Amino acid sequence: MMRRWISTIIAVLVLLVFWMILAAVIDKPALPQPFKAFAVFFRELPGLLWRHLLVSTYRVLAGIALAVLTAVPFGLYMGRNAGADRFAAPLVYLVYPIPKIVLLPVIMVLLGLGDSAKIFLITLVLFFQVLIPVRDSSRHVPRALVDSVTSLGAGKWAIYRHVIWPSVLPEVLTALRVASGTAIAVLFFAETIACQEGLGYYLMDAWTRYAYEEMFAGIIAMGLLGFAIYTVLEFLEHRLCAWKYV
Amino acid sequence: MILVENLKVTFKTPSTDIEALGGVSFRVEAGEICAVIGPSGCGKSTLLYVLAGLLAGFEGKAVVNGEPVKRGRRKTALILQDYGLLPWRNVFENAALGLELRGLPRSEQVAKVAPILDELGLREMQRLYPAQLSGGQRQRVAIARVLALNPDLLLMDEPFSSLDALTRETLQDNVLEIWRRTGCTVVLVTHSIEEATFLGRQVVVLSPRPGQVVATCKNAGAGETSWRRDPQFHKVCSFLREQLAGGTG
Ligand SMILES: Nc1ncnc2c1ncn2[C@@H]1O[C@H](COP(=O)(O)OP(=O)(O)OP(=O)(O)O)[C@@H](O)[C@H]1O
Ligand SMILES: [Mg+2]
């Protein structure tokens, strides 16, 4: 654990040094020195920035939660029922490659300009990124494992609960870890359109005012949000999938 | 206890139909140990799946304890070669799984499972995950798990084939002890002639696919640990080897 902290700190320092050098070389207001950006970050954090950060955090977490709650049951069902999969797979593969962001106008018309449209967009993007690994890994649970637990008296539900779900859980967490970056990128985009709250708005607003130091304070906040989600997911993985790390 | 009559199993695949069992008949009296031996792919596992009630599409008769086989018979226990254990459950949780599925509270699970783990020498390993165990220990957990359910029929599919010779013999001795103590009926599928001879008081020899019974041998010497060192033991092995070769030729 100690070593992990040390390596994280070293990684951050390397990034900061790289940033400093780059800023010195470029020497334009568009890329301020990190200490300036951090000064603004800490000045703004107790006030407005904190509020925007909270709003964005809420949207991302709600989107992730909804995506997991919907994609996992669907994925499990598709993975374990060849008939359902034959029907649903073409649909999934048709919709999966569409960049969901292009649906934002439609979503906004339907759900309005508030939180729900943004949350829905994140859910939509993550849904597929969770659905497909869940489906694939639940399909590949060894048959002998299912059979031997069935012979112990497990019914259909018990098999899902004791065999399929635990073997899929690591995949879910990995998929979420990969997708959390996408989620924040999507959120940024959604928050820049007809929006007065959230890190995306904060960033774009600073940008249009050429307030580059504020803009980078927003970028720092966004990076920290992503890092926090990533850390929580990794913690959950070590906690819930302890058997993988013995 | 077990009555199998003219059992046929055909797997339908997109390209062809695979006849796995081509009319198998034999019976096993209650409280006996029967070993089933035959070449690879002759349908031994398929036969066990039918007896365990996990495979429904078969022709002929398969009766356990006077009733046609069915899914979820509570007194039938199945042990497979691998995969039996859930990797995310520790030894105790794996051993108690059947009881948990039956809704027993934790305290009763402990009361039932603890002595069985003791008996099989797994007490110190209760908190370890399957990945932390040796092959022999894992198979012992699989045995503990079904013993907790007080089965009257124990079905085993090549349970010890991936183990080294010494571990295998210890586990075979364990099976004998359990058999003698509980008086349950045992059907053991194996491709080892020595294992069939050592454990099977009755040995059913199957032909190559589609499996049919080549011979059913009484083997009264089996059932004692000393049988392995009996001069007769090797005679029975040779006899079975001839039967298997005859079936192949
Ligand atoms: N689900 C299935 N679908 C199609 N064919 C199958 C299926 N299960 C088994 N078979 C076929 O049935 C035959 C018998 O299989 P089975 O597993 O019962 O053999 P076995 O005697 O246990 O072999 P081994 O000693 O190698 O374990 C094999 O030819 C196999 O290919
Ligand atoms: Mg087999």
Side-chain angles (χ1 to χ4, degrees), chain B residues 75-101:
Chain B
K75 295 236 147 214
T76 300
L78 175 68
I79 296 179
L80 302 175
Q81 182 185 336
D82 308 301
Y83 295 125
L85 302 181
L86 299 176
W88 44 86
R89 288 180 158 243
N90 66 28
V91 166
F92 176 85
E93 291 163 341
N94 262 295
L97 176 59
L99 297 172
E100 191 184 322
L101 288 169

PDB file of all heavy atoms in Angstrom, chain B residues 75-101:
ATOM      1  N   LYS B  75     -30.380 -36.436  -2.624  1.00  0.00           N
ATOM      2  CA  LYS B  75     -29.422 -37.367  -2.022  1.00  0.00           C
ATOM      3  C   LYS B  75     -28.389 -37.861  -3.030  1.00  0.00           C
ATOM      4  O   LYS B  75     -27.624 -38.761  -2.740  1.00  0.00           O
ATOM      5  CB  LYS B  75     -30.183 -38.546  -1.415  1.00  0.00           C
ATOM      6  CG  LYS B  75     -31.065 -38.127  -0.254  1.00  0.00           C
ATOM      7  CD  LYS B  75     -30.724 -38.918   0.983  1.00  0.00           C
ATOM      8  CE  LYS B  75     -30.908 -38.125   2.245  1.00  0.00           C
ATOM      9  NZ  LYS B  75     -29.934 -38.473   3.276  1.00  0.00           N
ATOM     10  N   THR B  76     -28.405 -37.277  -4.227  1.00  0.00           N
ATOM     11  CA  THR B  76     -27.381 -37.634  -5.207  1.00  0.00           C
ATOM     12  C   THR B  76     -26.276 -36.592  -5.184  1.00  0.00           C
ATOM     13  O   THR B  76     -26.544 -35.403  -5.248  1.00  0.00           O
ATOM     14  CB  THR B  76     -27.987 -37.684  -6.623  1.00  0.00           C
ATOM     15  OG1 THR B  76     -29.016 -38.667  -6.654  1.00  0.00           O
ATOM     16  CG2 THR B  76     -26.923 -38.048  -7.650  1.00  0.00           C
ATOM     17  N   ALA B  77     -25.024 -37.057  -5.072  1.00  0.00           N
ATOM     18  CA  ALA B  77     -23.888 -36.137  -5.053  1.00  0.00           C
ATOM     19  C   ALA B  77     -23.011 -36.404  -6.264  1.00  0.00           C
ATOM     20  O   ALA B  77     -22.816 -37.545  -6.663  1.00  0.00           O
ATOM     21  CB  ALA B  77     -23.081 -36.340  -3.777  1.00  0.00           C
ATOM     22  N   LEU B  78     -22.507 -35.325  -6.855  1.00  0.00           N
ATOM     23  CA  LEU B  78     -21.684 -35.458  -8.060  1.00  0.00           C
ATOM     24  C   LEU B  78     -20.341 -34.776  -7.834  1.00  0.00           C
ATOM     25  O   LEU B  78     -20.289 -33.631  -7.404  1.00  0.00           O
ATOM     26  CB  LEU B  78     -22.414 -34.821  -9.247  1.00  0.00           C
ATOM     27  CG  LEU B  78     -21.677 -34.754 -10.578  1.00  0.00           C
ATOM     28  CD1 LEU B  78     -21.476 -36.142 -11.160  1.00  0.00           C
ATOM     29  CD2 LEU B  78     -22.455 -33.884 -11.571  1.00  0.00           C
ATOM     30  N   ILE B  79     -19.278 -35.471  -8.142  1.00  0.00           N
ATOM     31  CA  ILE B  79     -17.938 -34.875  -8.051  1.00  0.00           C
ATOM     32  C   ILE B  79     -17.257 -34.998  -9.407  1.00  0.00           C
ATOM     33  O   ILE B  79     -17.153 -36.094  -9.962  1.00  0.00           O
ATOM     34  CB  ILE B  79     -17.086 -35.579  -6.978  1.00  0.00           C
ATOM     35  CG1 ILE B  79     -17.708 -35.367  -5.594  1.00  0.00           C
ATOM     36  CG2 ILE B  79     -15.657 -35.046  -6.994  1.00  0.00           C
ATOM     37  CD1 ILE B  79     -16.950 -36.050  -4.493  1.00  0.00           C
ATOM     38  N   LEU B  80     -16.836 -33.866  -9.952  1.00  0.00           N
ATOM     39  CA  LEU B  80     -16.203 -33.870 -11.270  1.00  0.00           C
ATOM     40  C   LEU B  80     -14.695 -33.697 -11.124  1.00  0.00           C
ATOM     41  O   LEU B  80     -14.188 -33.326 -10.067  1.00  0.00           O
ATOM     42  CB  LEU B  80     -16.772 -32.733 -12.124  1.00  0.00           C
ATOM     43  CG  LEU B  80     -18.277 -32.772 -12.323  1.00  0.00           C
ATOM     44  CD1 LEU B  80     -18.740 -31.535 -13.063  1.00  0.00           C
ATOM     45  CD2 LEU B  80     -18.691 -34.013 -13.085  1.00  0.00           C
ATOM     46  N   GLN B  81     -14.003 -33.937 -12.221  1.00  0.00           N
ATOM     47  CA  GLN B  81     -12.534 -33.895 -12.168  1.00  0.00           C
ATOM     48  C   GLN B  81     -12.020 -32.508 -11.787  1.00  0.00           C
ATOM     49  O   GLN B  81     -11.233 -32.344 -10.877  1.00  0.00           O
ATOM     50  CB  GLN B  81     -11.973 -34.315 -13.519  1.00  0.00           C
ATOM     51  CG  GLN B  81     -10.456 -34.348 -13.528  1.00  0.00           C
ATOM     52  CD  GLN B  81      -9.914 -34.656 -14.902  1.00  0.00           C
ATOM     53  OE1 GLN B  81     -10.593 -35.259 -15.717  1.00  0.00           O
ATOM     54  NE2 GLN B  81      -8.696 -34.241 -15.161  1.00  0.00           N
ATOM     55  N   ASP B  82     -12.455 -31.477 -12.521  1.00  0.00           N
ATOM     56  CA  ASP B  82     -12.028 -30.109 -12.200  1.00  0.00           C
ATOM     57  C   ASP B  82     -13.265 -29.255 -11.990  1.00  0.00           C
ATOM     58  O   ASP B  82     -14.361 -29.750 -11.983  1.00  0.00           O
ATOM     59  CB  ASP B  82     -11.237 -29.485 -13.367  1.00  0.00           C
ATOM     60  CG  ASP B  82     -10.126 -30.384 -13.801  1.00  0.00           C
ATOM     61  OD1 ASP B  82      -9.272 -30.681 -12.975  1.00  0.00           O
ATOM     62  OD2 ASP B  82     -10.135 -30.784 -14.983  1.00  0.00           O
ATOM     63  N   TYR B  83     -13.048 -27.990 -11.821  1.00  0.00           N
ATOM     64  CA  TYR B  83     -14.122 -27.003 -11.872  1.00  0.00           C
ATOM     65  C   TYR B  83     -15.119 -27.112 -10.749  1.00  0.00           C
ATOM     66  O   TYR B  83     -16.011 -26.286 -10.640  1.00  0.00           O
ATOM     67  CB  TYR B  83     -14.907 -27.097 -13.184  1.00  0.00           C
ATOM     68  CG  TYR B  83     -14.116 -26.766 -14.379  1.00  0.00           C
ATOM     69  CD1 TYR B  83     -14.025 -27.652 -15.440  1.00  0.00           C
ATOM     70  CD2 TYR B  83     -13.457 -25.553 -14.462  1.00  0.00           C
ATOM     71  CE1 TYR B  83     -13.289 -27.338 -16.565  1.00  0.00           C
ATOM     72  CE2 TYR B  83     -12.721 -25.239 -15.576  1.00  0.00           C
ATOM     73  CZ  TYR B  83     -12.638 -26.125 -16.623  1.00  0.00           C
ATOM     74  OH  TYR B  83     -11.923 -25.816 -17.719  1.00  0.00           O
ATOM     75  N   GLY B  84     -15.014 -28.142  -9.937  1.00  0.00           N
ATOM     76  CA  GLY B  84     -16.057 -28.319  -8.952  1.00  0.00           C
ATOM     77  C   GLY B  84     -16.159 -27.147  -7.989  1.00  0.00           C
ATOM     78  O   GLY B  84     -17.238 -26.773  -7.572  1.00  0.00           O
ATOM     79  N   LEU B  85     -15.010 -26.544  -7.656  1.00  0.00           N
ATOM     80  CA  LEU B  85     -15.011 -25.536  -6.597  1.00  0.00           C
ATOM     81  C   LEU B  85     -15.184 -24.144  -7.179  1.00  0.00           C
ATOM     82  O   LEU B  85     -14.719 -23.851  -8.271  1.00  0.00           O
ATOM     83  CB  LEU B  85     -13.701 -25.610  -5.815  1.00  0.00           C
ATOM     84  CG  LEU B  85     -13.407 -26.970  -5.190  1.00  0.00           C
ATOM     85  CD1 LEU B  85     -12.101 -26.925  -4.429  1.00  0.00           C
ATOM     86  CD2 LEU B  85     -14.531 -27.411  -4.281  1.00  0.00           C
ATOM     87  N   LEU B  86     -15.820 -23.274  -6.412  1.00  0.00           N
ATOM     88  CA  LEU B  86     -15.970 -21.886  -6.825  1.00  0.00           C
ATOM     89  C   LEU B  86     -14.729 -21.111  -6.372  1.00  0.00           C
ATOM     90  O   LEU B  86     -14.448 -21.045  -5.172  1.00  0.00           O
ATOM     91  CB  LEU B  86     -17.231 -21.279  -6.208  1.00  0.00           C
ATOM     92  CG  LEU B  86     -18.531 -21.972  -6.617  1.00  0.00           C
ATOM     93  CD1 LEU B  86     -19.726 -21.359  -5.886  1.00  0.00           C
ATOM     94  CD2 LEU B  86     -18.737 -21.877  -8.116  1.00  0.00           C
ATOM     95  N   PRO B  87     -13.996 -20.525  -7.317  1.00  0.00           N
ATOM     96  CA  PRO B  87     -12.720 -19.892  -6.972  1.00  0.00           C
ATOM     97  C   PRO B  87     -12.859 -18.727  -6.008  1.00  0.00           C
ATOM     98  O   PRO B  87     -11.891 -18.357  -5.347  1.00  0.00           O
ATOM     99  CB  PRO B  87     -12.168 -19.403  -8.309  1.00  0.00           C
ATOM    100  CG  PRO B  87     -13.104 -19.830  -9.363  1.00  0.00           C
ATOM    101  CD  PRO B  87     -14.299 -20.490  -8.745  1.00  0.00           C
ATOM    102  N   TRP B  88     -14.044 -18.114  -5.937  1.00  0.00           N
ATOM    103  CA  TRP B  88     -14.215 -16.934  -5.084  1.00  0.00           C
ATOM    104  C   TRP B  88     -14.702 -17.291  -3.691  1.00  0.00           C
ATOM    105  O   TRP B  88     -15.012 -16.417  -2.894  1.00  0.00           O
ATOM    106  CB  TRP B  88     -15.186 -15.941  -5.728  1.00  0.00           C
ATOM    107  CG  TRP B  88     -16.392 -16.602  -6.291  1.00  0.00           C
ATOM    108  CD1 TRP B  88     -17.535 -16.923  -5.644  1.00  0.00           C
ATOM    109  CD2 TRP B  88     -16.544 -17.054  -7.631  1.00  0.00           C
ATOM    110  NE1 TRP B  88     -18.386 -17.552  -6.488  1.00  0.00           N
ATOM    111  CE2 TRP B  88     -17.805 -17.633  -7.731  1.00  0.00           C
ATOM    112  CE3 TRP B  88     -15.716 -17.011  -8.771  1.00  0.00           C
ATOM    113  CZ2 TRP B  88     -18.273 -18.180  -8.928  1.00  0.00           C
ATOM    114  CZ3 TRP B  88     -16.200 -17.554  -9.944  1.00  0.00           C
ATOM    115  CH2 TRP B  88     -17.462 -18.121 -10.010  1.00  0.00           C
ATOM    116  N   ARG B  89     -14.823 -18.580  -3.408  1.00  0.00           N
ATOM    117  CA  ARG B  89     -15.210 -18.981  -2.057  1.00  0.00           C
ATOM    118  C   ARG B  89     -14.053 -19.714  -1.410  1.00  0.00           C
ATOM    119  O   ARG B  89     -13.405 -20.528  -2.066  1.00  0.00           O
ATOM    120  CB  ARG B  89     -16.414 -19.929  -2.128  1.00  0.00           C
ATOM    121  CG  ARG B  89     -17.685 -19.228  -2.518  1.00  0.00           C
ATOM    122  CD  ARG B  89     -18.825 -20.227  -2.567  1.00  0.00           C
ATOM    123  NE  ARG B  89     -20.076 -19.522  -2.424  1.00  0.00           N
ATOM    124  CZ  ARG B  89     -20.913 -19.704  -1.408  1.00  0.00           C
ATOM    125  NH1 ARG B  89     -20.658 -20.588  -0.485  1.00  0.00           N
ATOM    126  NH2 ARG B  89     -22.008 -18.996  -1.337  1.00  0.00           N
ATOM    127  N   ASN B  90     -13.838 -19.468  -0.131  1.00  0.00           N
ATOM    128  CA  ASN B  90     -12.754 -20.183   0.536  1.00  0.00           C
ATOM    129  C   ASN B  90     -13.204 -21.606   0.840  1.00  0.00           C
ATOM    130  O   ASN B  90     -14.325 -22.005   0.515  1.00  0.00           O
ATOM    131  CB  ASN B  90     -12.279 -19.416   1.772  1.00  0.00           C
ATOM    132  CG  ASN B  90     -13.341 -19.334   2.854  1.00  0.00           C
ATOM    133  OD1 ASN B  90     -14.191 -20.205   2.962  1.00  0.00           O
ATOM    134  ND2 ASN B  90     -13.291 -18.285   3.651  1.00  0.00           N
ATOM    135  N   VAL B  91     -12.289 -22.361   1.446  1.00  0.00           N
ATOM    136  CA  VAL B  91     -12.540 -23.788   1.645  1.00  0.00           C
ATOM    137  C   VAL B  91     -13.841 -24.017   2.414  1.00  0.00           C
ATOM    138  O   VAL B  91     -14.702 -24.797   1.997  1.00  0.00           O
ATOM    139  CB  VAL B  91     -11.348 -24.436   2.369  1.00  0.00           C
ATOM    140  CG1 VAL B  91     -11.713 -25.821   2.883  1.00  0.00           C
ATOM    141  CG2 VAL B  91     -10.150 -24.505   1.445  1.00  0.00           C
ATOM    142  N   PHE B  92     -13.997 -23.285   3.514  1.00  0.00           N
ATOM    143  CA  PHE B  92     -15.219 -23.489   4.286  1.00  0.00           C
ATOM    144  C   PHE B  92     -16.460 -23.144   3.471  1.00  0.00           C
ATOM    145  O   PHE B  92     -17.432 -23.898   3.435  1.00  0.00           O
ATOM    146  CB  PHE B  92     -15.199 -22.657   5.581  1.00  0.00           C
ATOM    147  CG  PHE B  92     -16.492 -22.776   6.330  1.00  0.00           C
ATOM    148  CD1 PHE B  92     -16.699 -23.834   7.200  1.00  0.00           C
ATOM    149  CD2 PHE B  92     -17.523 -21.867   6.114  1.00  0.00           C
ATOM    150  CE1 PHE B  92     -17.910 -23.970   7.855  1.00  0.00           C
ATOM    151  CE2 PHE B  92     -18.732 -22.000   6.767  1.00  0.00           C
ATOM    152  CZ  PHE B  92     -18.924 -23.062   7.645  1.00  0.00           C
ATOM    153  N   GLU B  93     -16.413 -21.991   2.811  1.00  0.00           N
ATOM    154  CA  GLU B  93     -17.598 -21.547   2.064  1.00  0.00           C
ATOM    155  C   GLU B  93     -17.936 -22.499   0.918  1.00  0.00           C
ATOM    156  O   GLU B  93     -19.103 -22.707   0.592  1.00  0.00           O
ATOM    157  CB  GLU B  93     -17.366 -20.128   1.518  1.00  0.00           C
ATOM    158  CG  GLU B  93     -17.315 -19.077   2.606  1.00  0.00           C
ATOM    159  CD  GLU B  93     -16.697 -17.769   2.126  1.00  0.00           C
ATOM    160  OE1 GLU B  93     -15.987 -17.765   1.096  1.00  0.00           O
ATOM    161  OE2 GLU B  93     -16.915 -16.755   2.794  1.00  0.00           O
ATOM    162  N   ASN B  94     -16.891 -23.075   0.317  1.00  0.00           N
ATOM    163  CA  ASN B  94     -17.148 -24.071  -0.712  1.00  0.00           C
ATOM    164  C   ASN B  94     -17.786 -25.315  -0.118  1.00  0.00           C
ATOM    165  O   ASN B  94     -18.759 -25.842  -0.658  1.00  0.00           O
ATOM    166  CB  ASN B  94     -15.844 -24.448  -1.421  1.00  0.00           C
ATOM    167  CG  ASN B  94     -15.672 -23.702  -2.728  1.00  0.00           C
ATOM    168  OD1 ASN B  94     -16.439 -23.897  -3.665  1.00  0.00           O
ATOM    169  ND2 ASN B  94     -14.685 -22.844  -2.780  1.00  0.00           N
ATOM    170  N   ALA B  95     -17.232 -25.758   0.999  1.00  0.00           N
ATOM    171  CA  ALA B  95     -17.736 -26.986   1.601  1.00  0.00           C
ATOM    172  C   ALA B  95     -19.170 -26.805   2.089  1.00  0.00           C
ATOM    173  O   ALA B  95     -19.948 -27.750   2.106  1.00  0.00           O
ATOM    174  CB  ALA B  95     -16.826 -27.420   2.744  1.00  0.00           C
ATOM    175  N   ALA B  96     -19.521 -25.569   2.465  1.00  0.00           N
ATOM    176  CA  ALA B  96     -20.858 -25.318   3.015  1.00  0.00           C
ATOM    177  C   ALA B  96     -21.862 -24.894   1.942  1.00  0.00           C
ATOM    178  O   ALA B  96     -23.025 -24.646   2.248  1.00  0.00           O
ATOM    179  CB  ALA B  96     -20.783 -24.255   4.106  1.00  0.00           C
ATOM    180  N   LEU B  97     -21.414 -24.830   0.687  1.00  0.00           N
ATOM    181  CA  LEU B  97     -22.286 -24.290  -0.355  1.00  0.00           C
ATOM    182  C   LEU B  97     -23.620 -25.027  -0.470  1.00  0.00           C
ATOM    183  O   LEU B  97     -24.687 -24.403  -0.535  1.00  0.00           O
ATOM    184  CB  LEU B  97     -21.550 -24.318  -1.708  1.00  0.00           C
ATOM    185  CG  LEU B  97     -22.344 -23.873  -2.929  1.00  0.00           C
ATOM    186  CD1 LEU B  97     -22.842 -22.458  -2.757  1.00  0.00           C
ATOM    187  CD2 LEU B  97     -21.485 -23.975  -4.188  1.00  0.00           C
ATOM    188  N   GLY B  98     -23.555 -26.358  -0.482  1.00  0.00           N
ATOM    189  CA  GLY B  98     -24.792 -27.135  -0.611  1.00  0.00           C
ATOM    190  C   GLY B  98     -25.754 -26.852   0.529  1.00  0.00           C
ATOM    191  O   GLY B  98     -26.965 -26.722   0.325  1.00  0.00           O
ATOM    192  N   LEU B  99     -25.204 -26.710   1.734  1.00  0.00           N
ATOM    193  CA  LEU B  99     -26.058 -26.423   2.890  1.00  0.00           C
ATOM    194  C   LEU B  99     -26.646 -25.027   2.789  1.00  0.00           C
ATOM    195  O   LEU B  99     -27.816 -24.806   3.115  1.00  0.00           O
ATOM    196  CB  LEU B  99     -25.239 -26.552   4.180  1.00  0.00           C
ATOM    197  CG  LEU B  99     -24.675 -27.949   4.458  1.00  0.00           C
ATOM    198  CD1 LEU B  99     -23.732 -27.915   5.649  1.00  0.00           C
ATOM    199  CD2 LEU B  99     -25.801 -28.942   4.696  1.00  0.00           C
ATOM    200  N   GLU B 100     -25.806 -24.091   2.313  1.00  0.00           N
ATOM    201  CA  GLU B 100     -26.293 -22.720   2.147  1.00  0.00           C
ATOM    202  C   GLU B 100     -27.440 -22.681   1.140  1.00  0.00           C
ATOM    203  O   GLU B 100     -28.451 -22.007   1.350  1.00  0.00           O
ATOM    204  CB  GLU B 100     -25.143 -21.831   1.681  1.00  0.00           C
ATOM    205  CG  GLU B 100     -25.451 -20.352   1.720  1.00  0.00           C
ATOM    206  CD  GLU B 100     -24.310 -19.521   1.142  1.00  0.00           C
ATOM    207  OE1 GLU B 100     -23.138 -19.864   1.370  1.00  0.00           O
ATOM    208  OE2 GLU B 100     -24.616 -18.535   0.444  1.00  0.00           O
ATOM    209  N   LEU B 101     -27.285 -23.438   0.061  1.00  0.00           N
ATOM    210  CA  LEU B 101     -28.334 -23.480  -0.959  1.00  0.00           C
ATOM    211  C   LEU B 101     -29.623 -24.058  -0.387  1.00  0.00           C
ATOM    212  O   LEU B 101     -30.714 -23.767  -0.858  1.00  0.00           O
ATOM    213  CB  LEU B 101     -27.893 -24.323  -2.153  1.00  0.00           C
ATOM    214  CG  LEU B 101     -26.813 -23.697  -3.041  1.00  0.00           C
ATOM    215  CD1 LEU B 101     -26.271 -24.720  -4.031  1.00  0.00           C
ATOM    216  CD2 LEU B 101     -27.377 -22.501  -3.786  1.00  0.00           C
TER     217      LEU B 101
END
